Amino acid sequence: MGFLRIFAKIVFTLVLVTVAWVGLYRFVPVPFTWTMMGDLMSGHTITKDWMPLSEMDPDMARAAIAGEDSRFCSHHGFDFKAMAGAAARNAQGGRIRGGSTISQQTAKNAFLFQGGGYVRKAFEAYFTVLIEVLWPKRRIMEVYLNIAETGIGTYGANAGAIRYFNHDASKLSPTEAGRIAAVLPLPKKRAAIDPHGFVRKHGNTLSRRVSVVRNDGLDGCLRTS
Protein backbone atom coordinates (compact mmCIF):
# COMPACT_ATOMS: atom_id res chain seq x y z
CA MET A 1 0.00 0.00 0.00
CA GLY A 2 2.88 2.36 0.78
CA PHE A 3 4.29 1.87 -2.72
CA LEU A 4 0.91 2.49 -4.31
CA ARG A 5 0.45 5.73 -2.36
CA ILE A 6 3.89 6.96 -3.41
CA PHE A 7 3.19 6.01 -7.03
CA ALA A 8 -0.19 7.77 -6.93
CA LYS A 9 1.42 10.92 -5.52
CA ILE A 10 4.08 10.88 -8.25
CA VAL A 11 1.45 10.49 -10.97
CA PHE A 12 -0.71 13.22 -9.43
CA THR A 13 2.25 15.59 -9.22
CA LEU A 14 3.24 14.89 -12.83
CA VAL A 15 -0.31 15.57 -13.99
CA LEU A 16 -0.42 18.87 -12.09
CA VAL A 17 2.96 19.97 -13.45
CA THR A 18 2.16 19.05 -17.05
CA VAL A 19 -1.28 20.67 -16.94
CA ALA A 20 0.28 23.86 -15.54
CA TRP A 21 3.02 23.71 -18.20
CA VAL A 22 0.53 23.34 -21.03
CA GLY A 23 -1.70 25.99 -19.49
CA LEU A 24 1.20 28.45 -19.35
CA TYR A 25 2.06 27.92 -23.01
CA ARG A 26 -1.47 28.81 -23.98
CA PHE A 27 -0.62 32.41 -23.15
CA VAL A 28 3.15 32.87 -23.49
CA PRO A 29 5.45 32.11 -26.43
CA VAL A 30 7.32 28.81 -26.15
CA PRO A 31 10.82 30.04 -25.20
CA PHE A 32 12.85 26.94 -25.98
CA THR A 33 12.44 23.27 -26.91
CA TRP A 34 14.39 20.05 -26.55
CA THR A 35 14.92 20.02 -30.31
CA MET A 36 16.56 23.43 -30.12
CA MET A 37 18.77 22.10 -27.34
CA GLY A 38 19.81 19.25 -29.62
CA ASP A 39 20.79 21.73 -32.33
CA LEU A 40 22.85 23.74 -29.84
CA MET A 41 24.63 20.61 -28.65
CA SER A 42 25.41 19.78 -32.29
CA GLY A 43 27.10 23.14 -32.71
CA HIS A 44 24.35 24.96 -34.58
CA THR A 45 23.13 28.44 -33.78
CA ILE A 46 19.41 28.91 -33.16
CA THR A 47 17.37 31.39 -35.18
CA LYS A 48 13.76 32.01 -34.18
CA ASP A 49 11.44 34.98 -34.36
CA TRP A 50 8.00 34.50 -32.82
CA MET A 51 5.10 35.97 -34.80
CA PRO A 52 1.48 35.84 -33.59
CA LEU A 53 -0.86 34.01 -35.92
CA SER A 54 -2.90 37.21 -36.29
CA GLU A 55 0.12 38.88 -37.92
CA MET A 56 1.15 35.93 -40.07
CA ASP A 57 -0.08 35.61 -43.64
CA PRO A 58 -3.07 33.21 -43.51
CA ASP A 59 -1.69 31.33 -46.50
CA MET A 60 1.07 29.93 -44.25
CA ALA A 61 -1.43 28.12 -42.05
CA ARG A 62 -3.38 27.04 -45.12
CA ALA A 63 -0.23 25.57 -46.67
CA ALA A 64 0.51 23.71 -43.44
CA ILE A 65 -3.01 22.29 -43.41
CA ALA A 66 -2.69 21.29 -47.07
CA GLY A 67 0.63 19.56 -46.51
CA GLU A 68 0.40 18.14 -43.01
CA ASP A 69 -3.16 17.80 -41.77
CA SER A 70 -6.16 18.47 -44.01
CA ARG A 71 -8.60 17.58 -41.21
CA PHE A 72 -6.92 19.81 -38.61
CA CYS A 73 -10.10 21.78 -37.93
CA SER A 74 -12.36 18.73 -37.65
CA HIS A 75 -10.40 16.23 -35.55
CA HIS A 76 -9.65 16.38 -31.83
CA GLY A 77 -5.93 15.74 -32.00
CA PHE A 78 -5.80 12.39 -33.79
CA ASP A 79 -6.71 11.58 -37.37
CA PHE A 80 -7.27 7.84 -37.21
CA LYS A 81 -8.15 7.64 -40.90
CA ALA A 82 -4.80 9.20 -41.85
CA MET A 83 -2.97 6.95 -39.39
CA ALA A 84 -4.58 3.86 -40.90
CA GLY A 85 -3.76 5.02 -44.41
CA ALA A 86 -0.13 5.69 -43.45
CA ALA A 87 0.16 2.24 -41.88
CA ALA A 88 -1.23 0.61 -45.02
CA ARG A 89 1.20 2.49 -47.28
CA ASN A 90 4.15 1.71 -45.04
CA ALA A 91 3.26 -1.99 -45.07
CA GLN A 92 3.66 -1.93 -48.86
CA GLY A 93 7.24 -0.70 -48.55
CA GLY A 94 8.88 2.38 -49.99
CA ARG A 95 9.23 5.74 -48.27
CA ILE A 96 7.93 5.66 -44.70
CA ARG A 97 5.05 8.04 -44.14
CA GLY A 98 3.62 9.21 -40.84
CA GLY A 99 0.04 9.93 -39.89
CA SER A 100 0.73 12.52 -37.22
CA THR A 101 -1.56 15.54 -37.02
CA ILE A 102 -0.42 19.11 -36.51
CA SER A 103 -1.65 18.76 -32.92
CA GLN A 104 0.58 15.73 -32.35
CA GLN A 105 3.56 17.44 -33.95
CA THR A 106 2.98 20.52 -31.81
CA ALA A 107 2.83 18.41 -28.65
CA LYS A 108 6.09 16.68 -29.60
CA ASN A 109 7.88 19.87 -30.62
CA ALA A 110 6.80 21.93 -27.60
CA PHE A 111 7.16 19.43 -24.78
CA LEU A 112 9.20 16.42 -25.89
CA PHE A 113 12.30 15.36 -27.78
CA GLN A 114 12.76 13.70 -31.16
CA GLY A 115 12.98 9.91 -31.26
CA GLY A 116 12.26 7.86 -28.16
CA GLY A 117 10.09 5.15 -29.71
CA TYR A 118 6.84 4.05 -28.11
CA VAL A 119 7.53 5.75 -24.76
CA ARG A 120 7.83 9.13 -26.42
CA LYS A 121 4.77 8.36 -28.54
CA ALA A 122 2.76 7.65 -25.38
CA PHE A 123 3.75 11.00 -23.87
CA GLU A 124 3.05 12.66 -27.21
CA ALA A 125 -0.49 11.30 -27.13
CA TYR A 126 -0.92 12.55 -23.55
CA PHE A 127 0.27 16.07 -24.39
CA THR A 128 -1.84 16.06 -27.55
CA VAL A 129 -4.95 15.46 -25.45
CA LEU A 130 -3.92 18.24 -23.08
CA ILE A 131 -3.37 20.87 -25.76
CA GLU A 132 -6.60 19.96 -27.52
CA VAL A 133 -8.46 20.42 -24.22
CA LEU A 134 -6.64 23.51 -22.95
CA TRP A 135 -5.80 25.39 -26.16
CA PRO A 136 -8.03 26.63 -28.98
CA LYS A 137 -7.14 25.46 -32.47
CA ARG A 138 -5.72 28.88 -33.32
CA ARG A 139 -3.21 28.55 -30.49
CA ILE A 140 -2.17 25.06 -31.59
CA MET A 141 -1.48 26.34 -35.09
CA GLU A 142 0.26 29.44 -33.76
CA VAL A 143 2.65 27.41 -31.62
CA TYR A 144 3.24 24.91 -34.41
CA LEU A 145 4.15 27.58 -36.95
CA ASN A 146 6.51 29.23 -34.49
CA ILE A 147 8.51 26.25 -33.20
CA ALA A 148 8.53 23.77 -36.09
CA GLU A 149 11.92 23.46 -37.76
CA THR A 150 12.11 25.24 -41.11
CA GLY A 151 15.79 24.53 -41.66
CA ILE A 152 18.92 23.59 -39.74
CA GLY A 153 18.90 25.80 -36.66
CA THR A 154 15.90 27.74 -37.98
CA TYR A 155 12.60 27.56 -36.13
CA GLY A 156 9.23 28.92 -37.14
CA ALA A 157 7.65 30.16 -40.34
CA ASN A 158 8.69 33.73 -39.69
CA ALA A 159 12.38 32.90 -39.23
CA GLY A 160 12.11 30.62 -42.28
CA ALA A 161 10.60 33.39 -44.40
CA ILE A 162 13.38 35.77 -43.41
CA ARG A 163 16.02 33.12 -44.11
CA TYR A 164 14.69 32.03 -47.49
CA PHE A 165 12.87 35.05 -48.89
CA ASN A 166 14.38 38.05 -47.07
CA HIS A 167 11.08 39.24 -45.63
CA ASP A 168 8.92 38.25 -42.69
CA ALA A 169 5.90 35.94 -42.73
CA SER A 170 3.32 38.71 -42.65
CA LYS A 171 3.22 38.76 -46.45
CA LEU A 172 3.83 35.41 -48.09
CA SER A 173 2.85 34.42 -51.58
CA PRO A 174 1.14 31.03 -51.92
CA THR A 175 4.34 29.75 -53.54
CA GLU A 176 6.50 30.90 -50.62
CA ALA A 177 4.09 29.48 -48.06
CA GLY A 178 3.94 26.20 -49.98
CA ARG A 179 7.71 25.88 -50.10
CA ILE A 180 8.09 26.53 -46.37
CA ALA A 181 5.39 23.92 -45.71
CA ALA A 182 7.20 21.46 -48.00
CA VAL A 183 10.31 21.78 -45.82
CA LEU A 184 8.50 20.97 -42.55
CA PRO A 185 8.60 17.15 -42.72
CA LEU A 186 12.40 16.99 -43.20
CA PRO A 187 13.79 20.44 -42.36
CA LYS A 188 17.38 19.30 -41.95
CA LYS A 189 17.48 17.88 -45.48
CA ARG A 190 15.42 20.42 -47.43
CA ALA A 191 15.61 24.10 -48.24
CA ALA A 192 12.82 26.36 -49.45
CA ILE A 193 15.11 28.73 -51.34
CA ASP A 194 16.03 27.64 -54.87
CA PRO A 195 14.38 24.26 -54.19
CA HIS A 196 14.98 21.25 -56.37
CA GLY A 197 13.31 17.89 -56.83
CA PHE A 198 10.73 16.98 -54.22
CA VAL A 199 10.72 20.35 -52.43
CA ARG A 200 10.00 22.26 -55.64
CA LYS A 201 7.37 19.80 -56.85
CA HIS A 202 5.65 19.37 -53.48
CA GLY A 203 5.91 23.08 -52.65
CA ASN A 204 4.24 24.01 -55.93
CA THR A 205 1.51 21.44 -55.24
CA LEU A 206 0.88 22.90 -51.81
CA SER A 207 0.76 26.42 -53.19
CA ARG A 208 -2.07 25.33 -55.47
CA ARG A 209 -3.87 23.64 -52.58
CA VAL A 210 -3.84 26.85 -50.54
CA SER A 211 -6.88 28.13 -52.42
CA VAL A 212 -8.63 24.76 -51.94
CA VAL A 213 -8.12 25.00 -48.17
CA ARG A 214 -9.48 28.54 -48.20
CA ASN A 215 -12.45 27.90 -50.50
CA ASP A 216 -13.46 24.64 -48.81
CA GLY A 217 -13.23 26.18 -45.35
CA LEU A 218 -10.63 23.68 -44.13
CA ASP A 219 -9.08 26.53 -42.14
CA GLY A 220 -12.43 27.56 -40.64
CA CYS A 221 -11.28 27.05 -37.04
CA LEU A 222 -8.52 29.61 -37.59
CA ARG A 223 -10.67 32.39 -38.97
CA THR A 224 -11.59 35.28 -36.71
CA SER A 225 -14.51 36.46 -38.82
Side-chain angles (χ1 to χ4, degrees), residues 94-206:
R95 186 166 65 90
I96 300 297
R97 298 173 181 268
S100 294
T101 63
I102 286 175
S103 298
Q104 288 174 273
Q105 294 177 53
T106 304
K108 177 186 67 177
N109 292 339
F111 303 102
L112 302 168
F113 47 85
Q114 306 296 320
Y118 291 110
V119 174
R120 196 269 293 158
K121 276 289 186 182
F123 279 103
E124 177 187 299
Y126 170 71
F127 277 106
T128 299
V129 171
L130 284 186
I131 66 174
E132 281 282 341
V133 170
L134 297 176
W135 297 358
K137 285 287 191 178
R138 280 184 59 85
R139 182 58 176 175
I140 294 174
M141 180 62 76
E142 181 173 69
V143 172
Y144 175 70
L145 290 179
N146 275 286
I147 66 173
E149 290 181 272
T150 50
I152 297 176
T154 304
Y155 289 83
N158 192 38
I162 294 170
R163 171 178 175 174
Y164 298 125
F165 308 118
N166 297 314
H167 62 78
D168 68 23
S170 64
K171 293 182 179 179
L172 290 169
S173 69
T175 297
E176 291 170 340
R179 288 181 177 175
I180 292 175
V183 170
L184 291 174
L186 288 172
K188 293 190 184 331
K189 297 182 179 180
R190 301 174 181 171
I193 189 169
D194 190 26
H196 301 282
F198 176 82
V199 175
R200 176 180 291 277
K201 181 179 179 181
H202 189 48
N204 291 342
T205 298
L206 295 183

Side-chain angles (χ1 to χ4, degrees), residues 7-21:
F7 179 74
K9 287 181 179 179
I10 292 173
V11 171
F12 182 70
T13 300
L14 287 175
V15 170
L16 283 181
V17 169
T18 53
V19 168
W21 191 10

